[in-house]
Amino acid sequence: MDDKKLIFSGIQPTGTFTLGNYIGAVRNWGPLQDEYNCIYSVVNMHAITVRQDPAALRKNTLDSYALLMACGIDINKSILFIQSHVKTHAELNWILGCCTQFGELSRMTQFKEKSQRHPDDINAGLFTYPVLMAADILAYNADLVPVGIDQKQHLELARNIAQRFNQRYGDFFTLPEPYIAEVGAKVMSLQDPTKKMSKSDENPNAVISILDDKDTIIRKFKRAVTDSEAEVAYREGKDGINNLMTIYSSVTGKDFAAIESEFAGKGYGDFKLAVGEAVADHLEPVRTEFARLSGDKAYLKECYTAGAEKALRYSQRIVLKAYHKVGFVDLK
Ligand code: TRP
């Protein structure tokens, strides 16, 4: 191995990404591949902590895999795999579970929120979710983990678990650090620009999926909520316009000053149309590549099989050492 740092990240198999996931996270993963060694996983084992339809989960997992490739993850540069294909995650999960306290897991805000949302299914997997996430990261001794703010608490717990293992059994796991992207703007709902754009939004006009077609994208931007002024300017209180400017800036590369002068004297109608067109044009190659990959199931299978083999080879070394450290009898 070279001396590049190792990045690990997991993404839930939701099948498609919102423009928010894309601009805020996934788009930045491609360029990281040259500077770091990167390992990315579609975390379908985490997905079943809430009820899933099996056929839909299978499809969404494959779609997410293809989408990551379409968004620029290059399987010749990075390891891209499906979590359930690599048994070391479940194996390390058990050991790490024995290094995690009930009290620590009880304090996780995501657990508290999700158990409120699904009071009829507060299962043990939902409770120990962060342990499996720690296993994902520690099975590779990853240095850096790109995470959004909502996952920071889980990452801190992963560090604490690693530290506890190291105290008990001797220094072994790398303590992973959050990787906060320099760019990666936050995209807000098109219908309520004080709220983050979220796939679970009940209003479909609030959310752009990166697989929406051009007409749909333009229609949603035309309906975007703005304000009663008529000036395209980035200013406090103009949440709707600020959001559209952020989006326009991140797909065109233009800064706010350039955008303000481009639309000086023009109305919001013109601006919304321009944002819609720019986003649709920007996403066009992603959509085309996704369609090509999902139409070629044999190639996709080759990719995820090779990814799983590489991930297993890498993590098995580490997990077998962890087995030895805790006192399990070596098989060979
Ligand atoms: N919990 C993460 C999320 O919901 C997904 C995830 C699972 C993850 N394992 C991971 C992220 C390991 C980073 C590293 O977004």
Side-chain angles (χ1 to χ4, degrees):
M1 282 292 283
D2 45 40
D3 54 7
K4 286 182 188 168
K5 289 203 166 177
L6 180 65
I7 285 192
F8 183 97
S9 196
I11 187 142
Q12 294 257 6
T14 50
T16 180
F17 305 137
T18 67
L19 185 65
N21 303 138
Y22 177 77
I23 290 177
V26 180
R27 180 172 70 156
N28 309 309
W29 290 2
L32 290 179
Q33 300 173 110
D34 297 316
E35 206 177 325
Y36 300 97
N37 292 316
C38 297
I39 304 182
Y40 297 114
S41 180
V42 180
V43 291
N44 56 346
M45 289 159 68
H46 279 101
I48 63 164
T49 56
V50 297
R51 283 297 276 279
Q52 300 280 342
D53 169 61
L57 177 61
R58 202 168 287 121
K59 178 177 189 303
N60 286 340
T61 302
L62 291 171
D63 281 355
S64 298
Y65 191 96
L67 259 180
L68 289 171
M69 288 178 70
C71 289
I73 295 193
D74 179 347
I75 52 151
N76 296 311
K77 291 184 186 162
S78 301
I79 301 179
L80 177 60
F81 71 100
I82 296 169
Q83 187 186 31
S84 64
H85 286 159
V86 183
K87 63 183 171 124
T88 44
H89 294 241
E91 292 169 348
L92 186 57
N93 175 63
W94 180 254
I95 293 183
L96 298 183
C98 301
C99 300
T100 310
Q101 299 301 305
F102 179 86
E104 290 177 302
L105 292 173
S106 311
R107 284 193 289 276
M108 293 293 114
T109 27
Q110 195 175 75
F111 171 70
K112 290 191 232 168
E113 275 167 23
K114 285 191 181 170
S115 32
Q116 263 168 18
R117 238 186 300 143
H118 307 277
D120 54 338
D121 187 19
I122 307 179
N123 62 80
L126 190 66
F127 188 61
T128 60
Y129 178 113
V131 179
L132 180 59
M133 179 163 158
D136 294 340
I137 300 164
L138 302 182
Y140 300 86
N141 262 331
D143 301 293
L144 298 169
V145 180
V147 279
I149 188 92
D150 63 318
Q151 294 297 316
K152 266 194 99 173
Q153 196 185 30
H154 288 165
L155 188 61
E156 269 156 36
L157 180 60
R159 285 173 61 90
N160 291 339
I161 296 172
Q163 228 157 6
R164 196 157 309 128
F165 182 100
N166 291 350
Q167 273 157 12
R168 284 188 194 169
Y169 304 111
D171 238 9
F172 182 60
F173 287 121
T174 305
L175 303 188
E177 307 222 8
Y179 175 88
I180 311 291
E182 295 153 34
V183 276
K186 191 162 161 196
V187 174
M188 312 303 279
S189 154
L190 298 188
Q191 291 297 313
D192 176 359
T194 59
K195 267 188 358 199
K196 205 176 128 182
M197 182 180 283
S198 155
K199 204 194 159 183
S200 52
D201 203 306
E202 271 150 35
N203 185 343
N205 288 323
V207 190
I208 304 282
S209 152
I210 64 169
L211 295 175
D212 280 345
D213 61 35
K214 185 163 187 169
D215 289 348
T216 307
I217 293 177
I218 290 176
R219 181 169 44 77
K220 288 180 183 173
F221 275 107
K222 277 190 184 157
R223 292 188 185 163
V225 169
T226 46
D227 52 58
S228 55
E229 298 169 16
E231 198 191 355
V232 177
Y234 197 98
R235 250 192 280 115
E236 170 109 36
K238 289 171 77 76
D239 297 324
I241 289 295
N242 295 349
N243 187 37
L244 296 183
M245 286 181 69
T246 302
I247 294 170
Y248 191 63
S249 164
S250 49
V251 297
T252 60
K254 295 174 187 170
D255 63 20
F256 292 155
I259 298 171
E260 285 173 9
S261 53
E262 182 179 350
F263 293 95
K266 293 192 185 150
Y268 284 172
D270 291 336
F271 179 52
K272 289 179 183 178
L273 180 65
V275 180
E277 281 182 340
V279 168
D281 291 346
H282 181 88
L283 293 176
E284 178 68 37
V286 174
R287 222 151 41 91
T288 310
E289 180 62 2
F290 173 75
R292 192 184 71 79
L293 289 167
S294 357
D296 192 348
K297 296 276 182 287
Y299 175 64
L300 210 55
K301 188 169 182 179
E302 248 174 63
C303 297
Y304 64 70
T305 307
E309 279 165 8
K310 286 189 218 165
L312 179 66
R313 212 175 311 129
Y314 198 110
S315 56
Q316 192 138 47
R317 248 182 339 118
I318 294 169
V319 172
L320 279 177
K321 278 192 200 149
Y323 267 38
H324 183 82
K325 286 208 155 248
V326 303
F328 291 169
V329 175
D330 298 330
L331 185 56
K332 286 186 224 146

